[in-house]
Amino acid sequence: HLVGAEGGVPVEIDRSRAWIGHDALEELRFAWSADSRWIAWSRPSSTGSQAVFLYDTTASKLTQATSGYFSDLQPAFDSEGKYLYYLSNRAFTPTYGDFDNGWTYANSTQIVAVPLRADVPSPLAARNDVEPPKDAAAEPASKDATKPEAKAPSAAVKSGQAGVVEAGKAKEEKVDPPKPVEIALDGFETRAIILPFKSGNYTDLWAVKGKVAVRRLPRAGSGDEKRPFVYFDLAEREEKTVLED
């Protein structure tokens, strides 16, 4: 159910036809877009797997954004309104059992990024690594040894400069409202991009401008006990560690 900030009658926005246990309900979380128009969450779909759902508070419309073919979890919007990230159990690296004569599909979770619209580029789009030619006109002029030494600014000038600095600080402190977030629901899942995290076990997915962060849990069968908090930098296209454990 959804209740506006000003109160009012709760409005039902979704109802799961599949049973959701107490543990799963405790982990159920909702992600808001930066402009507070969209809500994203995951729950069991008709396939039995978890799917991502989107609710448009402006149109009062619920959409199942992913098919439920894979189990998709913990969606998170970035602050710029460009991408929706989520965990997805879709990596198949089976291990054959010694006793049950069967395959075990562990460590299957990957991190997925979906551009919200067709005009938003893939976070892993090819880049041009060729350096542009140097522009001679743009190069700084050589220092003139005969140039007269600059005079120290007067007290009035200093006062004016201080005023400009204070005005600049006030301007920097002003926070612009978030831009409206538009989502092209048609073909949503076809725009999904798998980020270059090693498949494994992940939780606590969050996103900010240009970065997606997640906690990496020990891989099944590894014997490792560390749970580092890491993030992927979209600009530098590399993984970095925030906390070792």
Side-chain angles (χ1 to χ4, degrees), residues 23-204:
D23 292 342
L25 286 174
E26 283 188 333
E27 297 177 358
L28 182 63
R29 71 179 199 182
F30 299 87
W32 287 84
S33 61
D35 65 346
S36 298
R37 174 181 173 180
W38 301 87
I39 315 173
W41 66 92
S42 65
R43 66 159 174 81
S45 64
S46 59
T47 65
S49 297
Q50 296 270 339
V52 173
F53 289 79
L54 291 169
Y55 183 77
D56 184 351
T57 61
T58 300
S60 301
K61 180 181 178 182
L62 176 67
T63 301
Q64 181 176 330
T66 61
S67 63
Y69 186 82
F70 300 105
S71 190
D72 302 324
L73 309 157
Q74 298 187 13
F77 289 99
D78 73 330
S79 57
E80 293 184 293
K82 291 184 177 180
Y83 302 100
L84 180 75
Y85 301 93
Y86 57 88
L87 305 177
S88 185
N89 298 339
R90 60 175 63 205
F92 294 89
T93 53
T95 301
Y96 197 74
D98 292 335
F99 302 102
D100 56 3
N101 294 323
W103 295 100
T104 298
Y105 296 87
N107 308 310
S108 64
T109 308
Q110 295 180 293
I111 290 86
V112 175
V114 180
L116 296 182
R117 300 170 302 279
D119 62 325
V120 177
S122 163
L124 302 180
R127 293 175 174 173
N128 183 3
D129 294 332
V130 178
E131 295 184 3
K134 293 184 178 180
D135 186 356
E139 293 192 8
S142 60
K143 295 182 179 179
D144 189 352
T146 62
K147 185 177 180 180
E149 186 176 342
K151 295 181 180 179
S154 64
V157 173
K158 289 182 179 180
S159 177
Q161 290 175 344
V164 171
V165 171
E166 292 300 324
K169 288 182 179 179
K171 185 176 181 180
E172 290 176 358
E173 293 174 356
K174 182 181 178 182
V175 179
D176 295 328
K179 296 180 180 179
V181 177
E182 298 291 341
I183 301 179
L185 297 173
D186 291 339
F188 180 89
E189 197 170 15
T190 63
R191 301 192 298 271
I193 303 295
I194 299 175
L195 297 180
F197 286 89
K198 183 178 181 180
S199 62
N201 297 317
Y202 295 92
T203 189
D204 298 335

